[in-house]
Amino acid sequence: MVAMRLDKHVCMWCGACVGVCPVNSIILFETRIEFQDHCTDCLICERMCPVGAIYHVDENDGHIQLQSEI
Amino acid sequence: MLWAKLEDEYDVIVVGAGPGGSWAAKHCAEEGLRTLMIEKRQEIGSPVRCGEGMAKVWLDELGIKPNKEWIANEVQGARIYSPNMAHIEVNEKHAGNECGYVLHRSFYDKAMAREAARSGAQVLVKCMATAVLKEDDYVTGLKIHYMQQEKEVRAKVVVAADGFESQIARWAKMPGLRTNLKSKDANACFQYNMIGVDCDVRYNDFFVGSVAPGGYVWVFPKGEDQANVGIGVNLSKITGAAEAKRYLDKWIAKMPEYRKGKIIEQVCGGISCSQPVKKSHANGLILVGDAARMIDPLTGGGIANAQMSGMLAGPILKECIEKGDVSEQALKAYDDAWRAEMETQLLRNYIAKEKVLDLPDETFDKIISALSEVQLEKITTYTLLKALETKHPELVAELADLL
Ligand SMILES: Cc1cc2nc3c(=O)[nH]c(=O)nc-3n(C[C@H](O)[C@H](O)[C@H](O)COP(=O)(O)OP(=O)(O)OC[C@H]3O[C@@H](n4cnc5c(N)ncnc54)[C@H](O)[C@@H]3O)c2cc1C
Ligand code: SF4
Ligand code: SF4
């Protein structure tokens, strides 16, 4: 089990993550992203975010972000 | 408009004041429909989520007079660069729906909203729709939030013009309405507005291949030394965090013309490169623009299609509401109308996008080099295949199903 997290200092409130979430579990309140409970931990939003504002935490609360080769 | 003046019921509520929403609101209001347009942002048009390229021909069709207020630059064509930097030039008329003007979207969107307001539509900013109201299988209105207040407002028809997020359609959970995207049908985009770059104000430039997997890098000049330098990368090609930005930064670092630029704005966003939705209407609800996945899947242009769909909605909603029939069957007229206008092009460009998604750099090099040697009056599938035939017959077979 992981949980999605947002780095609000990085987020540009663009809604790209919202549009690709397969279960419509993210809401953008103008400038504030909220993950809802029915998230399935698919990490699609984390890959989609153009600036890397989304990361996740594992059961030990460790911060994890998908690494990039670019 | 002030919240206190908000009525309990409207003929039409439009969600989202992008170009699609404003054009829908304007044309509904012009038909005499009591129209409310709500926008969750505090300022319409800002922050910008766009490369700002727009074809001239479209303005005419949309009934919009070009205005210096929102036109930054006028280009004569597009140049498409292969990975080995061979290029072809396409005249503005044939360059698809992103070439002609480079806009100031923050002014453009406000100008469109102004027209909606002047036509009689009510407009409320910093007002977000948070839930869709339904009764007897009909969408009947929205729950909306403004500052600290909340209200349920009824509408005979809700127009979802809520852009890439397209949540109204998904919250409504109406039969057959699907706006979810597959990974290969979405692009992550990032852009800088840069000052002090060496751009050519006459052209919108596109750079294809592995510099931007499944998408492209664009340079749309807004002035002599100022340009939007941006990128779209296909989500199916992204494995790590922040890759759209990483690819763009990597590309800029290699380009002396651009790496000396100073950044005065950062833009971020998502676009669909899918087929349009299978169904854009349900009892009491229609989808307009990006919300209906109307962005051209090959070029990424979506302003014009959003406005076209909004404009077509006006008279159709008027007729349905007047007759007292806003059922799915009645609103199908809207679905038919926008498909007649743009579906062929969208489906053709979807096939083309599927083709180029996995094209290796060498193939881009071959195609663009072969094309650069012939004078192309107009790039069509036919002229493209014809030009390739002599040099790379093997590619013709591979691309033939594009026809
Ligand atoms: C980086 C980038 C570059 C692009 N470049 C180009 C280009 O060069 N040329 C081109 O033609 N197109 C381009 N596009 C696409 C173009 O921006 C869109 O197609 C166009 O904005 C679509 O208009 P729209 O009205 O459908 O949606 P939008 O302009 O996205 O408007 C939707 C509005 O709805 C609001 N909203 C959403 N949910 C709610 C809610 N629940 N309540 C209230 N309001 C809500 C949003 O805040 C937003 O203002 C680009 C897109 C991106 C991301
Ligand atoms: S991890 Fe998947 S399900 Fe969860 S919010 Fe992100 S995209 Fe949605
Ligand atoms: S995609 Fe990234 S930048 Fe855009 S709203 Fe989501 S978290 Fe923020």
Side-chain angles (χ1 to χ4, degrees):
Chain A
M1 267 299 282
V2 301
M4 304 314 293
R5 292 281 186 271
L6 181 84
D7 184 339
K8 61 177 185 288
H9 301 294
V10 177
C11 176
M12 290 174 63
W13 341 315
C14 70
C17 52
V18 178
V20 293
C21 174
V23 294
N24 202 16
S25 173
I26 313 177
I27 301 187
L28 171 63
F29 295 94
E30 193 183 11
T31 60
R32 181 169 50 86
I33 283 288
E34 259 182 38
F35 297 101
Q36 294 177 284
D37 293 340
H38 55 284
C39 163
T40 61
D41 308 333
C42 69
L43 306 186
I44 289 178
C45 54
E46 191 173 320
R47 287 195 292 121
M48 180 69 174
C49 178
V51 290
I54 299 178
Y55 63 96
H56 55 283
V57 291
D58 61 14
E59 50 275 8
N60 307 318
D61 247 8
H63 281 211
I64 311 167
Q65 194 168 45
L66 296 167
Q67 289 305 302
S68 175
E69 311 277 299
I70 312 307
Chain B
M1 188 189 53
L2 298 175
W3 173 263
K5 286 199 192 159
L6 200 67
E7 290 166 38
D8 294 326
E9 196 188 329
Y10 289 85
D11 289 328
V12 175
I13 305 181
V14 179
V15 183
S22 286
W23 233 226
K26 171 183 155 77
H27 287 88
C28 287
E30 277 177 354
E31 294 289 342
L33 296 172
R34 289 175 308 123
T35 306
L36 168 68
M37 173 167 74
I38 61 166
E39 167 54 56
K40 69 178 168 186
R41 303 182 189 183
Q42 64 187 5
E43 181 181 345
I44 290 170
S46 173
V48 171
R49 312 248 173 267
C50 190
E52 308 185 296
M54 168 106 168
K56 287 183 200 166
V57 286
W58 277 102
L59 287 181
D60 241 8
E61 294 198 27
L62 294 165
I64 302 168
K65 276 203 216 61
N67 187 330
K68 281 209 297 284
E69 179 199 1
W70 42 257
I71 295 176
N73 181 29
E74 200 174 328
V75 298
Q76 67 186 45
R79 294 183 301 198
I80 304 164
Y81 287 84
S82 63
N84 67 2
M85 296 301 266
H87 78 270
I88 46 171
E89 205 178 298
V90 193
N91 158 323
E92 165 256 319
K93 285 198 182 57
H94 305 121
N97 51 10
E98 276 201 331
C99 258
Y101 292 122
V102 183
L103 306 175
H104 293 298
R105 269 295 291 275
S106 60
F107 294 123
Y108 183 79
D109 286 20
K110 285 186 190 72
M112 299 304 123
R114 208 158 58 207
E115 292 226 15
R118 288 194 176 131
S119 300
Q122 303 286 6
V123 185
L124 203 55
V125 296
K126 211 165 171 68
C127 176
M128 177 168 174
T130 52
V132 174
L133 308 177
K134 279 164 73 173
E135 273 161 53
D136 305 329
D137 298 328
Y138 273 75
V139 169
T140 53
L142 298 161
K143 187 192 265 186
I144 63 175
H145 277 250
Y146 170 75
M147 309 306 273
Q148 285 188 331
Q149 308 177 78
E150 193 180 291
K151 188 177 162 99
E152 291 189 349
V153 188
R154 312 268 144 190
K156 297 192 174 105
V157 179
V158 168
V159 175
D162 53 334
F164 182 73
E165 294 162 50
S166 195
Q167 283 190 305
I168 299 298
R170 294 188 281 170
W171 287 336
K173 293 203 171 68
M174 297 298 277
L177 222 57
R178 271 190 62 83
T179 65
N180 279 8
L181 293 168
K182 297 188 187 108
S183 280
K184 70 179 175 71
D185 288 343
N187 279 8
C189 303
F190 187 73
Q191 171 181 282
Y192 296 115
N193 185 286
M194 298 182 113
I195 305 290
V197 295
D198 290 332
C199 54
D200 189 330
V201 285
R202 296 169 303 168
Y203 298 100
N204 280 353
D205 288 338
F206 300 80
F207 302 82
V208 296
S210 55
V211 291
Y216 58 82
V217 169
W218 66 82
V219 177
F220 295 171
K222 290 187 85 165
E224 287 297 334
D225 74 333
Q226 180 178 4
N228 286 337
V229 182
I231 194 167
V233 181
N234 192 274
L235 176 56
S236 70
K237 309 283 181 188
I238 294 176
T239 53
E243 289 196 352
K245 181 172 185 299
R246 285 173 203 271
Y247 275 111
L248 183 64
D249 287 343
K250 193 172 155 189
W251 183 82
I252 290 173
K254 281 190 314 204
M255 303 295 279
E257 317 76 313
Y258 304 114
R259 69 170 174 242
K260 61 182 179 179
K262 296 184 178 120
I263 297 160
I264 60 160
E265 183 184 12
Q266 254 181 219
V267 170
C268 183
I271 60 167
S272 57
C273 49
S274 62
Q275 299 183 32
V277 286
K278 293 273 179 307
K279 198 162 157 261
S280 63
H281 60 296
N283 293 336
L285 174 68
I286 63 164
L287 319 184
V288 156
D290 283 16
R293 309 308 185 199
M294 288 178 189
I295 292 187
D296 185 312
L298 188 63
T299 66
I303 306 168
N305 287 353
Q307 288 190 270
M308 178 54 74
S309 61
M311 180 164 109
L312 293 168
I316 294 167
L317 295 191
K318 163 77 172 177
E319 204 186 316
C320 293
I321 289 170
E322 215 165 47
K323 285 191 183 146
D325 182 1
V326 295
S327 66
E328 178 183 327
Q329 291 75 11
L331 292 174
K332 183 169 185 300
Y334 163 71
D335 195 80
D336 292 340
W338 69 258
R339 284 187 205 281
E341 195 66 42
M342 63 183 88
E343 193 179 33
T344 314
Q345 167 88 6
L346 291 178
L347 294 180
R348 192 174 56 220
N349 280 359
Y350 182 73
I351 299 172
K353 168 241 144 180
E354 291 283 280
K355 269 279 158 212
V356 299
L357 192 57
D358 293 311
L359 228 49
D361 280 359
E362 307 78 66
T363 314
F364 274 121
D365 288 339
K366 279 184 192 166
I367 296 175
I368 291 176
S369 309
L371 292 179
S372 65
E373 286 161 26
V374 290
Q375 272 303 326
L376 285 185
E377 242 308 284
K378 184 173 176 185
I379 295 202
T380 62
T381 337
Y382 179 74
T383 54
L384 191 145
L385 290 180
K386 227 33 208 168
L388 274 181
E389 205 170 17
T390 38
K391 294 205 78 176
H392 302 290
E394 78 285 0
L395 284 180
V396 174
E398 198 186 311
L399 297 174
D401 48 334
L402 254 184
L403 285 168

